[in-house]
């Protein structure tokens, strides 16, 4: 698919990986809606940088993706601003480190918040955006999961389960939205310089990097480039690609 002139909504677009995704898409001529939850000034700065660097249209939009009405309003606002929506990138996520053995630390409240942001939020966004993506004639959805969704690893049981759910949501939505909209997923390993990594314990970061075949963290630009590939493809849907320097094989 030719990406130039398309419009993408990137949730968590002001985060460490989210910014890389925004830049990678803007470099291809995609107009960008940068969605943020709290950091308005940062998101607006990202939008200004994208517009000036790549001569595309970009704007920041605030949204609580756990609020159904807010998600519907977000999609309407993006379409009103840009006139269309072709691409949805579900990158926004919440994470808090709780050792697997600490079941008391994994409270129901924390479980529900992680699920609401990491799994139910993307489902809300996909449902809200689906008509616009279908109308574009070449809709693309890319979900950002994690290697924690492919095995019992990661910062907490809730995070791992939420990311596993997102991988299967990718498959199910690929079926639901075919043939007009393609749905794929990137599952990064350890990424340095992201909000998710900032919530990890130091020993987790060290162990994750050391246990990979390449002995280093995954690369954010590699992940962003894969997102672009998934937006450009015409024949891949329902798939999850792992980028983790060689830790998980699936």
């Amino acid at each position: 698919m030719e990406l130039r002139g398309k419009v993408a909504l990137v949730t968590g677009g002001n985060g460490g990986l989210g910014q890389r995704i925004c830049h990678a898409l803007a470099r291809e001529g995609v107009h960008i809606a940068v969605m943020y939850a709290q950091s308005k000034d940062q998101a607006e700065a990202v939008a200004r940088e994208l517009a000036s660097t790549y001569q595309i249209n970009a704007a920041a939009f605030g949204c609580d993706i756990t609020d159904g009405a807010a998600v519907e309003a977000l999609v309407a606002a993006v379409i009103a601003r840009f006139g269309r929506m072709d691409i949805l990138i579900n990158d926004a996520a919440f994470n808090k480190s709780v050792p697997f053995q600490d079941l008391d630390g994994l409270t129901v409240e924390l479980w529900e918040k992680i699920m609401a942001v990491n799994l139910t939020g993307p489902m809300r966004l996909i449902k809200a955006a689906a008509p616009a993506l279908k109308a574009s004639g070449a809709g693309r959805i890319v979900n950002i999961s994690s290697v924690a969704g492919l095995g019992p690893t990661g910062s907490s049981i809730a995070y791992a389960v939420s990311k596993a759910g997102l991988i299967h949501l990718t498959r199910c939505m690929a079926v639901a939205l075919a043939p007009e909209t393609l749905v794929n997923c990137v599952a990064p390993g350890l990424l340095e310089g992201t909000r998710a990594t900032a919530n990890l314990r130091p020993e987790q970061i060290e162990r994750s990097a050391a246990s990979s075949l390449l002995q280093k963290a995954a690369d954010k630009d590699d992940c962003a480039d894969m997102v672009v590939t998934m937006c450009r493809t015409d024949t891949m849907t329902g798939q999850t690609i792992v980028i983790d320097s060689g830790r998980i094989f699936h």
Side-chain angles (χ1 to χ4, degrees):
M1 180 176 79
E2 170 59 47
L3 295 181
R4 184 166 300 278
K6 298 295 192 293
V7 174
L9 168 59
V10 182
T11 75
N14 58 316
L17 177 57
Q19 288 192 38
R20 301 293 181 94
I21 293 171
C22 288
H23 277 270
L25 288 169
R27 196 174 295 119
E28 299 295 322
V30 177
H31 306 301
I32 307 292
V34 183
M35 196 220 82
Y36 65 91
Q38 296 178 330
S39 304
K40 179 180 180 181
D41 290 345
Q42 184 184 38
E44 290 180 342
V46 171
R48 287 194 299 270
E49 181 181 9
L50 294 169
S52 63
T53 302
Y54 305 104
Q55 288 74 56
I56 52 92
N57 295 322
F61 298 82
C63 183
D64 174 3
I65 63 172
T66 69
D67 182 332
V71 168
E72 294 283 350
L74 167 68
V75 171
V78 170
I79 294 172
R81 170 65 173 76
F82 294 96
R84 59 189 296 163
M85 183 188 299
D86 307 281
I87 298 166
L88 169 63
I89 311 297
N90 281 311
D91 178 55
F94 175 74
N95 185 23
K96 184 176 180 180
S97 181
V98 179
F100 275 39
Q101 294 79 9
D102 184 12
L103 295 182
D104 290 335
L106 181 62
T107 64
V108 171
E109 291 76 18
L110 178 59
W111 172 279
E112 290 178 343
K113 181 174 182 179
I114 288 174
M115 292 296 169
V117 176
N118 296 0
L119 184 54
T120 307
M123 183 274 294
R124 291 182 188 277
L125 282 153
I126 291 170
K127 287 187 65 177
L133 296 176
K134 181 177 181 178
S136 82
R140 300 291 186 272
I141 298 170
V142 181
N143 298 319
I144 306 300
S145 182
S146 166
V147 294
L150 292 164
T153 63
S155 54
S156 77
I157 291 173
Y159 183 78
V161 173
S162 72
K163 292 300 189 178
L166 188 56
I167 288 171
H168 202 56
L169 180 66
T170 298
R171 300 181 184 116
C172 292
M173 286 298 185
V175 173
L177 301 180
E180 294 88 359
T181 299
L182 280 58
V183 189
N184 289 292
C185 181
V186 177
L190 172 70
L191 291 171
E192 295 178 332
T194 67
R195 292 191 179 101
T197 304
N199 288 327
L200 296 180
R201 300 185 302 279
E203 62 270 22
Q204 283 183 290
I205 296 174
E206 182 178 352
R207 183 172 63 248
S208 294
S211 64
S212 69
L213 292 178
L214 303 184
Q215 299 286 293
K216 59 184 177 181
D219 186 81
K220 292 191 287 290
D221 287 325
D222 281 353
C223 295
D225 289 344
M226 180 54 63
V227 169
V228 172
T229 296
M230 288 176 167
C231 291
R232 186 181 287 122
T233 182
D234 289 321
T235 57
M236 177 171 68
T237 194
Q239 303 305 308
T240 295
I241 300 298
V242 174
I243 300 176
D244 70 346
S245 293
R247 290 183 59 224
I248 298 293
F249 299 87
H250 78 112

